Each structure stands twice: as C-alpha cells, then as structure tokens.
Amino acid sequence: PPDAGAETAQPREGRLAVVWGPHGAPGRTTVAASLAHGLARAGGSVLVDADVEAPSLVQVLGLPEDSSSLATAARLASHSRLDTESLVGLLVPVGPDHSLLSGLGRSGRWRELPPSPMADVWAGCREVAAWTVIDIAGGPLEDEVDDYTLEPGRDALAASLVRSADVVVIVGAADPVGVRRLLQLVTQFDETERPSGRIEVVVNRVRASAAGPSPERAVREALARFGGLEEVVLLPEDPVADQCLLAGCSVLDGAPGSALGRALAVLVDRIDPAAGARRTASRRRRRGFLRRLRDRRAERHSDRRSPTRPPAPAAGPDRGG
C-alpha cells in the first residue's frame, strides 16, 4: 500500500467559457479569439466555433478553410467513437498550447450538432485543455423541441452551453441600441435559463462618438441604473482590431500592448488569474515603447552624422570688365 503521506496527483478537469451576446455584431468572435489566446498560458486552450448562424473564426485567424472539424467530432461522438486521440487529431494548431475546432461552413447545417453527442465533445475538450472557449450565435435562446419530429431546435446547443458553462461572457456594443439589447438579454433570465456558472459582462467599442464625452462613465451608469450591473469590463474602440483582422490573428496575439489588448488582458485575468495576461501585455507594451525610443534615437543620430550643406549662392550678373 502507498505511504499515508504520499500525495497522488489528480488530473485537473478543464473548464468551459462560452462567449455569447445579443443580436448584431458586438464583437463576440474578436473577444473569443483573444480569450483563447490569453487563457492558453493557464494550461492550454481550445477555441471552438459553435456559431450555427455565421461561423467566422477560420477567417479571423487567417486559416485555410477546410471541412468542419466540429461536425466531424459530433459524428464520431454520435457513434461512440470519439476518444482523446481522435479529438486531438481534429484540432488545428493556432499557437503554443492553443488550437481551434473549426465550425460549420454555413448556417443551414445546425442539425449536425445535436446537443446529446456534443456533450461528449465538450467532455473531451475538458480533458485536452485547461480552458475551452466556445463562440456561439447571439440573440435570445429558444430551447424548444419540434412538435412533429421531436428534434431539438436551432438554439438547443447554445442553450445547453449557456446553462452548463463555467463562465458565460456576454458581449454587447457600446451604443444606445447595443446597450439596450444587452440589458434586454441579461434581464430576461429566469430560474431555469439562468447560467449556473459565473457571468462576465463585456461592453465593446466604447467611444465618445456613440456614448458622449465621457463614454466609460456613461456606459457604466446606464448598465448600473437600468440593469443593476456593477462589475463590467469595457473594451475601447481601437483601430488595432482591424489591423489584427487583416493580419489573421487575435488582438492579444498581434497587439497585446495596445489599449484594446490591455483591456482584453484584464478580462482574461478576471476569468483565470493564472493566465497572467496583464503582465504579458505590460511587458510587450514596454518593449514596444523602448523599440520606438531606440528608433527615434537612431534617426536623430543619423541626422547628426550627415548634416545638410548650405545651398550654393545664386549666380548673379557678370559685372567684370
């Protein structure tokens, strides 16, 4: 028998973080991509595109379009053939300890992801990585069964994920329409639909042009007054998001020292402090500042070494005789 004082290492079960939000394009995919990149430092992460309406993580990360690995995993699970080895073979590497389970090619294929086999897929993801970040479609969830076929509805998968996830990240937009939609989504929870895990509310694209001269204070006051939401994470409007989209990378990967990158790092550390995303963003920011400072000094030094010559005097009329 083992010694009484011997400690046996127990495998740590991974956790699920679902990124959800109201209708529109508040930035759910942008937030999900950066969350998976930041949480990879806490023991590895798997990013899953479970958006049955408009899957786009393959395009956001600049990866070649291929068959849906998520649908393949669902088919294997429905035949009891999904194990850890087969699931790992379906993952597309994105970075160190960071991979992607690509979504459906078009919205009409949502029936390929029935909730019952997908439960085995999520269990496999929990074994593969410490965090699984799942991007789902936005809007209210109607978990209804078809009266004729008795099949789960279009929102059945998303509803089951929201109810059972460890963390639900609700992303809204920082304009009057976006804030109203966010408040309607958050305040409609009843006891059966309310997530069992922790809720993190995120407001994206905070800017003065849509929320007034003090946009951060205006958004916080509106959410606190009309929704009772005190703890929210605000993400500023930043052109670096478009630059990272063109480069095919997440914001925390391409520009962690930017204003948007630092705000996303705060969100990552709120979900899992072991990720240390703020330290990484601060270090990358100082490194970028020092690089720009060195470039300026080198430019000034080159200007001193090659001074410009004074212009030659213009030739006047010949007055000699």
Side-chain angles (χ1 to χ4, degrees), residues 32-49:
S34 289
L35 276 182
H37 179 83
L39 292 173
R41 294 178 175 270
S45 67
V46 174
L47 179 60
V48 183
D49 195 346

Side-chain angles (χ1 to χ4, degrees), residues 78-122:
S78 63
H79 293 87
S80 301
R81 294 169 52 192
L82 183 67
D83 54 12
T84 303
E85 183 179 357
S86 59
L87 179 60
V88 171
L90 295 174
L91 298 177
V92 180
V94 178
D97 300 324
H98 177 26
S99 55
L100 170 70
L101 199 59
S102 58
L104 304 175
R106 58 183 185 276
S107 59
R109 299 174 56 187
W110 59 271
R111 290 182 177 85
E112 299 181 31
L113 305 178
S116 180
M118 291 304 298
D120 295 334
V121 177
W122 309 138

Side-chain angles (χ1 to χ4, degrees), residues 22-234:
H23 282 302
R28 295 185 302 270
T29 302
T30 300
V31 172
S34 289
L35 276 182
H37 179 83
L39 292 173
R41 294 178 175 270
S45 67
V46 174
L47 179 60
V48 183
D49 195 346
D51 189 339
V52 298
E53 294 183 1
S56 58
L57 275 170
V58 170
Q59 292 79 19
V60 168
L61 297 177
L63 299 173
E65 294 192 27
D66 204 347
S67 59
S68 171
S69 55
L70 183 60
T72 304
R75 285 195 297 270
L76 292 175
S78 63
H79 293 87
S80 301
R81 294 169 52 192
L82 183 67
D83 54 12
T84 303
E85 183 179 357
S86 59
L87 179 60
V88 171
L90 295 174
L91 298 177
V92 180
V94 178
D97 300 324
H98 177 26
S99 55
L100 170 70
L101 199 59
S102 58
L104 304 175
R106 58 183 185 276
S107 59
R109 299 174 56 187
W110 59 271
R111 290 182 177 85
E112 299 181 31
L113 305 178
S116 180
M118 291 304 298
D120 295 334
V121 177
W122 309 138
C125 290
R126 289 179 183 270
E127 296 179 2
V128 169
W131 280 99
T132 300
V133 181
I134 308 173
D135 183 20
I136 64 175
L141 302 176
E142 299 179 0
D143 189 8
E144 298 179 355
V145 178
D146 190 275
D147 295 333
Y148 296 97
T149 63
L150 301 180
E151 293 180 351
R154 187 187 190 94
D155 298 332
L157 176 63
S160 63
L161 282 171
V162 169
R163 286 194 298 264
S164 61
D166 298 280
V167 180
V168 178
V169 181
I170 304 178
V171 183
D175 54 75
V177 176
V179 170
R180 182 174 180 271
R181 289 177 176 175
L182 177 63
L183 290 172
Q184 288 177 338
L185 191 70
V186 173
T187 55
Q188 74 174 4
F189 285 137
D190 56 21
E191 294 301 327
T192 59
E193 294 181 352
R194 187 169 185 83
S196 59
R198 182 158 54 94
I199 298 176
E200 291 288 348
V201 177
V202 178
V203 183
N204 191 25
R205 300 188 62 192
V206 178
R207 58 202 185 277
S209 60
S214 300
E216 293 85 0
R217 188 178 69 177
V219 171
R220 291 186 184 277
E221 288 180 352
L223 295 178
R225 178 180 178 184
F226 299 104
L229 302 175
E230 300 289 346
E231 296 291 333
V232 296
V233 177
L234 304 183

